[in-house]
Amino acid sequence: MATPRVPGDEAIELPCGESVSLAELDMGMREYACSCGERHAVVMDVHPPSRFVPEAIVDVLRETVETEDEFGEFGTPHVMGIVLEEFPEEVVAEDVSENGQVGYSMLWLTDFDSRRLHVIVVELLVELMDHAISHSENSEAADEFEEQMLEFDVEAFVDDYRKAREFESEFDRPA
């Protein structure tokens, strides 16, 4: 006899080889405690890129990064595309747009936890900004950016940003 399932539910294979049911993943989830013993970062297209960096930086990225895809402006799908490009074996990307039960269209699950993903995202966004400014005609701005990056501590930034965004409920706001 077939095992009963929730209609529209599907299992997603994690980078570790285990599987997780979409029914176990909700839009507020940032990390999944896997039966393999590890924690996997969970990202959905509905999560704003400000999950990783301040909105002011997201605004700058939206103004400067050209996107020619169905997403319109620079956002979480682009951030996770960069991560997937750098870590193809450690990220699973799933299009779940045909599943009307979940409330999101794209899902990314990583082999590393949410903090490690946060560090990776910040490092990759800094590289992206560095590359963009290197093409600037304003060498003074490029030099200033390089100087600021020498003093920038990604680990400390991630710790401070995560602490500032640690909410008790969906009604809390950053300090």
Side-chain angles (χ1 to χ4, degrees):
M1 184 169 155
T3 306
R5 294 183 353 134
V6 175
D9 190 19
E10 42 189 297
I12 305 298
E13 187 172 334
L14 295 161
C16 67
E18 297 290 328
S19 293
V20 60
S21 166
L22 281 181
E24 292 183 62
L25 306 174
D26 65 64
M27 291 188 288
M29 186 176 276
R30 300 297 186 257
E31 202 168 68
Y32 173 73
C34 184
S35 60
C36 76
E38 298 296 325
R39 300 182 72 77
H40 303 286
V42 176
V43 181
M44 299 165 187
D45 61 326
V46 295
H47 295 166
S50 58
R51 168 181 172 176
F52 302 107
V53 294
E55 194 63 45
I57 293 175
V58 174
D59 290 342
V60 170
L61 289 166
R62 286 186 173 140
E63 289 174 19
T64 56
V65 177
E66 293 180 22
T67 59
E68 295 180 9
D69 55 29
E70 68 271 19
F71 300 109
E73 64 183 6
F74 185 85
T76 300
H78 301 99
V79 169
M80 292 309 297
I82 296 167
V83 174
L84 182 60
E85 188 175 304
E86 290 293 319
F87 300 93
E89 301 298 318
E90 289 90 0
V91 180
V92 171
E94 288 289 328
D95 180 347
V96 294
S97 58
E98 297 296 317
N99 184 327
Q101 305 293 314
V102 295
Y104 50 90
S105 298
M106 289 294 301
L107 170 68
W108 296 270
L109 298 155
T110 70
D111 202 29
F112 23 81
D113 66 18
S114 62
R115 186 188 183 287
R116 177 71 184 128
L117 173 63
H118 198 157
V119 168
I120 289 168
V121 166
V122 171
E123 289 172 342
L124 292 172
L125 290 177
V126 167
E127 283 180 32
L128 177 68
M129 292 185 291
D130 185 44
H131 178 75
I133 201 137
S134 72
H135 291 286
S136 169
E137 293 178 13
N138 184 343
S139 63
E140 190 175 303
D143 291 343
E144 183 179 336
F145 181 81
E146 288 295 327
E147 192 173 305
Q148 290 175 357
M149 288 304 98
L150 291 174
E151 298 173 17
F152 183 64
D153 182 340
V154 173
E155 298 280 340
F157 168 82
V158 167
D159 289 340
D160 291 346
Y161 195 70
R162 291 172 71 84
K163 184 178 179 185
R165 295 192 54 86
E166 195 170 283
F167 306 135
E168 291 294 322
S169 78
E170 69 268 23
F171 303 107
D172 288 347
R173 298 286 179 249

